[in-house]
């Protein structure tokens, strides 16, 4: 089936990034979030990113206007009834994602693929919320979505081959590279990355080094583009904690226990860049 209309659930940092790359690849996009304010904020980020590309000469003003015109926003989930493919990029909370999938299952045509950008929740558990488990797949983008080349693709037990092939084609249409992962908590990327970030928080908690020293060690010593604490702030400390909890619960192994300092920051509302304060302060 030809995909013309691409639905995105969530206009936050992952959702608006996904909507941007979909629009840039020539698809019509419907981006949903629960409030008009959240939708407009997400659209504003996309506009800003396109404007930056125009000022760098990577995009013409006409292209920018065409891509922007291709994105519709809506705070009514039922507007996704016209979508030919939907990806969910809501907050990383199981109860919330389950509800979204139950609702999408009612709203979207029965042959439509419903993908999830979950960073750690098993696809099979999400698929079990719907009457179309063969059409449910993991499509995990990396942050910042417009820049990062990787998209993890994860089949649930019931995912059919057509769903897999269609999703691969879409990832390639977006100019990204797929990497297939089995359906285990955290998949590949976050199973390796997030415990490393958690360990960096432990190093800070135990006073092994200052945040600057810890970040410099990994940035300059391992050639990582940014230090682990700065990266945790970029991802969102609430998301990092949620992923550690999923790994801890999913494997029942104490090596995945979240650092108490990470929990403390999240409880204080210091979630990283998005709230202006995490391990670092942001304007
Ligand atoms: N949105 C869109 N574009 C962005 C961006 C954003 N949020 N942030 C940076 N960019 C663009 C810049 O405009 C710039 O574009 P040009 O090359 O066209 O000029 C380019 O990215 C490089 O940016 P900068 O020069 O400002 O800065 P940089 O070279 O330090 O790169 C970075 C910034 C891309 C974020 C880089 O530091 C990096 O790769 N960091 C690691 C990111 C990472 O590990 N992401 C994975 C997180 S894990 C995840 O996402 C999975 C999960 O489930 C938690």
């Amino acid at each position: 089936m030809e995909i013309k209309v691409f639905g995105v659930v969530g206009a936050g940092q992952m959702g608006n990034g996904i909507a941007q790359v979909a629009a840039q690849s020539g698809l019509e996009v419907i981006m949903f979030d629960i409030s008009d304010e959240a939708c407009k904020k997400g659209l504003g980020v996309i506009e800003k990113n396109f404007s930056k590309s125009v000022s760098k000469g990577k995009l013409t003003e006409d292209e920018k206007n065409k891509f922007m015109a291709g994105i519709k926003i809506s705070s009514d989930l039922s507007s996704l009834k016209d979508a030919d493919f939907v990806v969910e990029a809501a907050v990383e909370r199981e109860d919330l994602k389950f509800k979204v999938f139950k609702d999408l299952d009612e709203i979207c045509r029965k042959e439509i693929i419903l993908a999830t950008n979950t960073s750690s929740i098993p696809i099979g558990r999400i698929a079990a919320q719907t009457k179309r488990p063969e059409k449910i797949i993991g499509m995990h983008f990396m942050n910042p979505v417009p820049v990062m080349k990787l998209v993890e693709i994860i089949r649930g037990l019931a995912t059919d081959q057509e769903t897999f092939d269609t999703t691969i084609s879409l990832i390639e249409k977006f100019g990204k590279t797929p990497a297939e992962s089995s359906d285990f908590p955290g998949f590949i990327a976050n199973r390796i990355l997030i415990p490393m970030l958690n360990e960096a928080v432990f190093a800070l908690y135990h006073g092994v080094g200052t945040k600057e020293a810890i970040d410099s060690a990994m940035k300059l010593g391992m050639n990582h583009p940014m230090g682990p604490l700065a990266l945790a702030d970029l991802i969102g400390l609430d998301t990092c904690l949620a992923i550690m909890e999923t790994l801890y619960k999913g494997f029942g192994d104490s090596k995945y226990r979240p650092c108490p300092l990470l929990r403390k920051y999240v409880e204080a509302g210091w979630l990283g860049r998005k709230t202006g304060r995490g391990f670092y302060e942001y304007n």
Side-chain angles (χ1 to χ4, degrees):
M1 194 191 70
E2 199 194 345
I3 291 161
K4 286 191 186 152
V5 182
F6 185 82
V8 184
V9 175
Q13 63 183 1
M14 297 308 283
N16 70 54
I18 298 168
Q20 180 183 327
V21 296
Q24 255 174 310
S25 75
L27 297 176
E28 285 174 49
V29 176
I30 305 169
M31 182 170 72
F32 161 87
D33 210 311
I34 46 170
S35 69
D36 290 339
E37 199 193 343
C39 289
K40 284 185 190 143
K41 197 171 161 198
L43 195 64
V45 172
I46 299 174
E47 225 252 318
K48 216 166 119 193
N49 281 343
F50 281 147
S51 296
K52 253 201 241 164
S53 297
V54 171
S55 64
K56 286 177 190 163
K58 293 188 171 178
L59 211 63
T60 66
E61 194 67 40
D62 281 355
E63 283 169 327
K64 173 192 154 183
N65 293 338
K66 193 178 88 192
F67 296 150
M68 284 304 291
I71 307 173
K72 294 192 180 65
I73 52 175
S74 172
S75 55
D76 176 3
L77 194 68
S78 63
S79 54
L80 293 176
K81 69 180 185 321
D82 299 324
D84 302 318
F85 188 108
V86 177
V87 60
E88 166 278 321
V91 177
E92 190 67 7
R93 254 183 41 208
E94 203 170 82
D95 56 337
L96 203 134
K97 290 200 191 276
F98 284 3
K99 164 107 179 66
V100 168
F101 272 82
K102 278 188 181 127
D103 291 346
L104 287 174
D105 199 31
E106 297 293 320
I107 292 165
C108 300
R109 301 190 305 278
K110 68 178 190 322
E111 70 276 16
I112 297 303
I113 296 171
L114 304 177
T116 172
N117 182 56
T118 180
S119 40
S120 60
I121 301 168
I123 306 307
R125 288 167 69 96
I126 294 176
Q129 310 306 312
T130 72
K131 295 185 207 77
R132 63 178 93 187
E134 71 288 354
K135 297 278 163 227
I136 310 297
I137 194 158
M139 190 186 195
H140 181 217
F141 291 81
M142 303 293 128
N143 185 11
V145 178
V147 184
M148 307 304 279
K149 289 279 176 231
L150 178 76
V151 180
E152 281 184 299
I153 181 165
I154 310 103
R155 306 180 213 230
L157 267 187
T159 309
D160 66 21
Q161 191 60 37
E162 195 193 346
T163 299
F164 183 80
D165 294 342
T166 306
T167 307
I168 289 274
S169 310
L170 214 62
I171 292 170
E172 287 168 354
K173 188 178 169 79
F174 293 167
K176 310 280 187 202
T177 303
E180 188 181 0
S181 165
S182 294
D183 191 15
F184 282 104
F187 315 129
I188 298 171
N190 283 334
R191 181 165 175 172
I192 299 170
L193 175 70
I194 305 296
M196 187 197 77
L197 304 189
N198 190 52
E199 197 57 35
V201 185
F202 266 116
L204 183 68
Y205 180 57
H206 291 152
V208 179
T210 61
K211 56 183 186 286
E212 291 83 6
I214 292 166
D215 275 354
S216 287
M218 300 306 285
K219 211 174 146 181
L220 306 180
M222 278 82 195
N223 252 0
H224 289 191
M226 61 205 298
L229 299 172
L231 181 55
D233 276 355
L234 174 73
I235 293 168
L237 303 189
D238 52 338
T239 302
C240 293
L241 179 60
I243 297 169
M244 284 309 294
E245 302 275 25
T246 304
L247 292 170
Y248 189 36
K249 221 167 83 186
F251 291 112
D253 188 333
S254 65
K255 77 174 174 179
Y256 296 116
R257 72 202 182 284
C259 177
L261 188 62
L262 177 62
R263 198 182 296 285
K264 203 168 176 175
Y265 274 51
V266 172
E267 282 167 357
W270 294 5
L271 306 184
R273 283 192 193 209
K274 61 186 164 189
T275 56
R277 179 153 198 184
F279 294 107
Y280 297 90
E281 287 184 48
Y282 304 88
N283 294 322

